[in-house]
Amino acid sequence: MKPTQFAYDRPETVDEALELLDEHHDAELLAGNQSLGIIMANRFASPERLVDINRLDGLAFVDISDDEIEIGAMTRHRTLERHDDLRSVLELVPESAEQIAGPAVRNRGTMGGSIAEADPAGNYPAVLAALGGELHVASVDGERTIPADDYFVGYMFTDLEEHELITSVSFPREPFPQERTGSAFVELKRGSQTWPTVSAATAVRVDDPSRETPLVEESRLAVGNAAGIPLRIDDALAELAGEPLSEDALDSVAEAVREAADPTDEMHADREYKSEMAGEYAIRSLRKSYERACGN
Ligand SMILES: Cc1cc2nc3c(=O)[nH]c(=O)nc-3n(C[C@H](O)[C@H](O)[C@H](O)COP(=O)(O)OP(=O)(O)OC[C@H]3O[C@@H](n4cnc5c(N)ncnc54)[C@H](O)[C@@H]3O)c2cc1C
């Protein structure tokens, strides 16, 4: 099948793009086109106008400051995957990027497109939720910041308004000091080109990696594809604080994840299997983060 006919604009500046979005309420932004093209070709969506944002300056960047990491919306998965500085300060982000599909998708797909899509199986939504990140968005009305907690509303439903463009996302660095934090993204998938059946994004900060058995100070977890939005179990995680990360503690986390999970049935994985795997991958990811935080 082919998409229905559509008008096409390729603005040169963010302001021009925002004007177009304001003028044409039926317009869709075109970023890496690794999701939209498929959706349009199958006629699940037939926007009358595409606003191509590939020529906009200033939306593809990675800024690492003492306080935060900011990533421009048009930053490609491939750039994040290969960003050594980013990997050294917060491994979770490049590790989530490198597990998206194959090189063809990663060469074109963008951070902003993925966050806008808010697919519950998406890698970055889980990362954003786990790290307590923020989205920075712009429209003709001005700019605003949306905390991840407020952004994901329901199954592929977000707080982003039709005339708004995501300009960047940011992650605070203060809770994740490089020398005492480990982070990880692990996922279960059937093949390299498929979306994950479940995934888990985690970060763990310990008190002192030089101790024989470091104690967990804080841990973060968001499970992908286990519910309509990235699944968090903050109360259960709070109980890990002040102790080494034991197998008993991990079992309790898995139990909390299984109880909170509310996944949809898929052809290859029913609800029960996905809930079970959500618990298992939460454990694997937390264990990996803890080991990394301990310097292993
Ligand atoms: C075979 C295959 C496997 C994949 N596997 C995975 C996977 O395992 N994990 C994963 O996370 N993703 C996966 N993806 C999706 C991939 O990551 C896409 O790149 C991404 O979801 C969409 O990004 P994009 O830049 O291609 O956006 P586009 O396809 O161009 O746009 C997607 C939507 O986002 C909107 N949008 C784009 N940019 C912005 C912006 N800056 N502000 C507001 N709205 C915007 C568009 O209007 C559109 O509605 C896969 C895709 C394919 C084709």
Side-chain angles (χ1 to χ4, degrees):
M1 220 177 332
K2 298 277 183 226
T4 52
Q5 199 171 17
F6 55 86
Y8 174 79
D9 287 297
R10 193 165 57 189
E12 301 282 338
T13 66
V14 171
D15 284 347
E16 274 178 54
L18 298 181
E19 291 292 340
L20 285 162
L21 285 183
D22 189 50
E23 224 172 287
H24 304 283
H25 286 208
D26 53 349
E28 278 288 328
L29 293 170
L30 179 72
N33 198 25
Q34 296 307 302
S35 291
L36 187 59
I38 299 170
I39 292 167
M40 288 175 63
N42 284 289
R43 300 203 178 175
F44 295 135
S46 298
E48 289 178 16
R49 178 174 297 268
L50 294 187
V51 177
D52 184 339
I53 53 175
N54 282 274
R55 290 227 175 144
L56 304 191
D57 275 341
L59 291 185
F61 62 88
V62 178
D63 273 353
I64 303 172
S65 68
D66 289 344
D67 299 336
E68 64 171 20
I69 296 167
E70 185 172 9
I71 299 174
M74 285 302 290
T75 310
R76 315 275 173 189
H77 307 325
R78 198 69 160 165
T79 305
L80 296 173
E81 170 191 353
R82 293 181 168 188
H83 207 293
D84 291 339
D85 290 346
L86 185 55
R87 197 173 285 273
S88 69
V89 294
L90 200 57
E91 191 155 11
L92 173 54
V93 181
E95 196 164 79
S96 68
E98 75 193 8
Q99 293 180 65
I100 294 175
V105 172
R106 296 202 297 275
N107 279 337
R108 297 301 302 165
T110 66
M111 168 62 82
S114 176
I115 295 291
E117 198 174 24
D119 192 303
N123 297 17
Y124 300 145
V127 171
L128 194 73
L131 297 180
E134 291 181 328
L135 279 83
H136 306 283
V137 309
S139 72
V140 288
D141 304 327
E143 295 174 3
R144 72 182 177 116
T145 296
I146 314 174
D149 278 355
D150 299 340
Y151 177 68
F152 300 105
V153 175
Y155 184 83
M156 293 177 99
F157 182 56
T158 71
D159 186 48
L160 191 70
E161 301 200 6
E162 271 176 8
H163 67 307
E164 287 180 322
L165 180 145
I166 300 169
T167 52
S168 68
V169 300
S170 59
F171 307 104
R173 286 197 62 196
E174 180 268 323
F176 313 113
Q178 198 174 339
E179 60 293 347
R180 292 193 289 127
T181 301
S183 62
F185 186 89
V186 301
E187 61 179 21
L188 167 67
K189 59 159 91 179
R190 289 166 299 132
S192 63
Q193 290 288 339
T194 61
W195 289 71
T197 303
V198 293
S199 65
T202 55
V204 174
R205 187 182 75 240
V206 297
D207 62 340
D208 180 359
S210 66
R211 280 169 74 123
E212 196 178 334
T213 318
L215 307 180
V216 173
E217 272 190 356
E218 189 178 354
S219 51
R220 305 284 187 91
L221 161 70
V223 186
N225 216 20
I229 62 174
L231 177 69
R232 301 215 338 239
I233 47 145
D234 296 352
D235 290 346
L237 285 190
E239 291 176 19
L240 303 182
E243 303 286 337
L245 191 66
S246 66
E247 289 303 310
D248 283 351
L250 287 172
D251 285 346
S252 309
V253 168
E255 181 60 30
V257 169
R258 284 194 294 270
E259 271 176 26
D262 184 20
T264 50
D265 274 325
E266 292 178 38
M267 207 191 314
H268 60 277
D270 63 17
R271 280 172 55 85
E272 194 186 341
Y273 177 70
K274 281 170 77 174
S275 301
E276 192 61 37
M277 288 302 106
E280 174 60 27
Y281 278 74
I283 287 185
R284 290 186 191 193
S285 192
L286 279 170
R287 197 187 280 129
K288 197 167 178 181
S289 285
Y290 178 70
E291 283 168 3
R292 284 176 171 171
C294 297
N296 301 334

